[in-house]
Amino acid sequence: MILSIFLGLPLVWTSYGCWTDNTGARTLSAASYTNTTGMTVESCISFCSSGANSYVYAGVEYAQECYCGNYLASDASNVSMSECDMTCTGNASELCGAGDRLNVYWSGTQPPAPPIIVPGVGNWKSLGCYNDSTTTRALANGMGVSGQVTVESCTAACQDAGYQYAGVEYADECYCGMTLDNGSGPTPASSCDMTCAGNSSEYCGGPDHLNLYNYTGTPTTTDNTGGGTGTELLITPSLSGGWTYGGCYVDNANGRVLGDELDSNDMTVESCVAHCTADNFTIAGLEYSTQCFCGNELVDGATKAPDSDCNMACGGNATEACGAGNRLSVYTSTGNITILPVPTPLTTGLPGQWVYQGCLAEPAPGSHLLPYENDWTNNNTVEACLNQCAAFGYPAAGLEYGEQCFCGDISDVVDNNGAFVSGSECNMPCSGDPTHLCGANNLMSAYYWNGTMNVWHTPENIGRYEFLIGGVVVPLIATVGINNKVTFLEKYPTSEFANSTGAYELDISLVDNYLLAWREMHVKSDVFCSGSIILPDKGARQINVGGWSLESTYGVRLYTPDGQPGVNGTNDWEENASELSLQRGRWYPTAMMMPNGSILVVGGETGSNGPPQPSLEILPKPPGGDTVITLDYLQRTDPNNLYPFLLVLPSGRFFIGYYNEARILDPVTFDTVTVLPNIPGAVNNFLAGRTYPMEGTAVLLPQHAPYTDPIEILICGGSTPGAAIALDNCVSIVPEASNPTWTLERMPSKRVMPCMVTLPDGTYMILNGAHQGVAGFGLASDPNFSALLYDPSQPVGQRISILNSTIIARLYHSEATLLPDGRVLVSGSDPETNYPNGTAVYPEEFRIEVYIPPYLNQGFRQPEFTIAETDWALGGQYNIIVTLYQGTTSTMRVSLIAASSSTHGNVMSGGRIIFPEFSCSGNTCTITAPPNAFVCPPGWHQLFVLDGPTPSHSAWVRIGGDPAQLGNWPDYPDFTTPGV
């Protein structure tokens, strides 16, 4: 999503651009409010144009602040719209300025006559603009006024109290005195440029500047101390709830000592205490007659002042004291007042290997040195920020503006020309820890990890890509058959090619002859975004379910591989919806072979971009009526749960991963047994997802005889909602552990729409995809050309090696599939991403590559073996005769990889790999098949022998038979059954 200024403006309001602002002298100074959760452009404009507010300009800043006025400050300047880049807290599709940057909107009307310095009010005469200071006041006594501050209301209040001088400052402050103190003197009139809060046609001083007035008439009282009528202000009114007076405290000596401000012209001690009580605070403070602050402690090294300093009457009760200028009348509900010291940088006791670096300046307002931002309005702490960055593998952390936590790499700081400034400039306390500093505006308190956080290996032998053959279509589904040929399915009849039949088979042995390598096959309905697995019947049939729309979404299609390398088969896809179909139409479903030999089909939508199909069903259909089971969690998480991950666990239960959630299901009732912790996403967005369309990929990690270790699941890649920033991490979990938790490992680059291939040595190749976007046509950019190798035998955080790169963009509808010779076939890419003139940014990709993994790139001859018996019973023992060329049987390994079909990065066998028990006598080795259908669901497997690192070519073996007798199903005239 590209954010823009809000265009749906009310009435005649229009955007007036991005303008500079600063906290000392506001660009718009007439009225303002803050909404930390609900600020929008519309609400700000409504505030600035409704009721008593009828202003020409409205401005939104820092995501949550709204300012109004009839004039733009003279020192404000119009800057690039790109500097106003923060989203509104109430609408993430709108921009609400940035730090010291305002998105300004104009009503279309001309402002009233410019404000003036009022020359006089009755006997009060203007002396001009005078300098002032918050610590050494020019006029000693702050004064409450009736209503909002104007020149008239301030001079009246000072006259009633018998003072000689009156001064208005910072738009809404009134001061009185008998003398002009602390060396105050005249300054240019331009320094008093803030309009009065109660009358925008008048100037009421500015930051640290007073519009000063002198009384020239006869004093109305002889009390020249400013006592007015001499009424004594109460500091200990009778309060409910155990609240008591705690004293008068200095405010703003080092910063605000209380937060949570409420302003009211009718303020009383009772109303302030009630407000703080309602928000569960234990301390209330009243200041400047009309201001109420709440908290649970005083911060910034608050110090006591004489009670007489809190001498301003409350706006709503002239007999009560409500602080004064920079003085707080403090009340407590506990009888205790905790005072926290002036905040300092946290430099000791840091978690992990973090080290404080200093104060870093951002390169420009609205831009950031580190790319990932978390906004924690009430709970930002140094420790929390550092732990968050470390958890996601980022060795650079920065805290800014009290409430922001940024994560990234140290190289980000270097690449963006980050510069350190004086540490004193990072002076804002953390929102969740007022004793420590969390940067300032456009300044971050920086921390670096001292050491290596992520070990990404860069081996000398990285393998290589090779061009294999030109394709005939862009395949959506790739499946290696037991005939050692690869079947491809594509969109049909919605293909870009009118003569496409939707199905083709590639004979790898004939790739040097394009015309002979490809065999045309046929489907009868559109398999676009369907799902496939391999059946455990004698023919190792490939079954494909679901489809794009209408009748095709109910489709059940079967193909029995035949022929052999170099010899064409004659079988084709069989389909007849009137004889065999799903109970529900499904687009983007997942299929899985269950331990009992039946087929589980889960999820999807009812058709192309249609309503969700949040349910499961079984093939062959159980007896009875409708046997579909609705899954409420798929209903709730639609449309981010398509192609859910389905895996059989060694307990016999099922793992299902969908969107950013996962759970374990009972294999009979399909009820939830365990809800697993949510799947971690991005460092700054827990709503990131792992299934289509925020597409990642998932596999089971290896199982080793005697199969007593709990199985682990690995999920890599994905994306975020909205901005669609691809994820740069893999996560793993032992789902049936007593306290399952996700372990996160950072990848060297971001990747959405990845493919993951199980290799015979128990490692996994990760390739294809993009750095940005989501799955779908035209929805991703910035291809990821590099391949990675994930080795689960290495320690966590050290499992990834960076392999070679391709020159071909492999985006939406790309696949990667293990071939029987140990190479990886890489195919497809159907992004349909075009420039405005209609030309392709990333073309439809017909070229087919293979990746030569490192184990085939060492010059070693591949081992060989012969096998006589390929139909294995669970727990049975079977012989092979091996020929090794590097090592001996003492270093040999044997692996079994389940037959699979892959689409959209979803390997619908879970990429299951098993290392079975075996023993050898000479070159005859006896393999013990896995013990049960939970460890090894029934089906066909590629059997590999590994001579050291080098795998053999595979042989196909069937393990566990065909317990559901799928080989005799379906019993209809248009289907050929191979037998069980």
Side-chain angles (χ1 to χ4, degrees), residues 360-384:
L360 262 177
E362 296 281 23
S367 62
H368 301 292
L369 293 168
L370 301 178
Y372 299 105
E373 177 181 348
N374 289 289
D375 292 322
W376 297 332
T377 306
N378 299 313
N379 59 348
N380 194 28
T381 68
V382 173
E383 297 92 336

Side-chain angles (χ1 to χ4, degrees), residues 392-414:
F392 285 83
Y394 297 104
L399 299 103
E400 188 167 331
Y401 210 75
E403 60 189 40
Q404 297 173 326
C405 167
F406 290 91
C407 301
D409 291 300
I410 298 171
S411 59
D412 293 324
V413 177
V414 176

Side-chain angles (χ1 to χ4, degrees), residues 675-701:
V675 176
L676 296 170
N678 275 20
I679 305 171
V683 66
N684 64 338
N685 195 336
F686 65 90
L687 295 176
R690 303 286 183 167
T691 51
Y692 184 97
M694 292 179 276
E695 183 179 299
T697 183
V699 294
L700 288 162
L701 292 186

Side-chain angles (χ1 to χ4, degrees), residues 770-795:
H771 293 96
Q772 188 279 330
V774 295
F777 293 125
L779 299 180
S781 62
D782 194 7
N784 194 324
F785 295 104
S786 71
L788 304 175
L789 191 71
Y790 185 92
D791 185 355
S793 69
Q794 298 301 308

Side-chain angles (χ1 to χ4, degrees), residues 96-122:
C96 278
D100 289 342
R101 292 296 184 270
L102 275 167
N103 278 113
V104 177
Y105 293 86
W106 178 42
S107 68
T109 61
Q110 294 303 313
I116 61 169
I117 295 178
V118 176
V121 180

Side-chain angles (χ1 to χ4, degrees), residues 933-945:
F934 301 156
V935 169
C936 178
W940 288 86
H941 295 72
Q942 292 189 69
L943 170 66
F944 288 93
V945 166

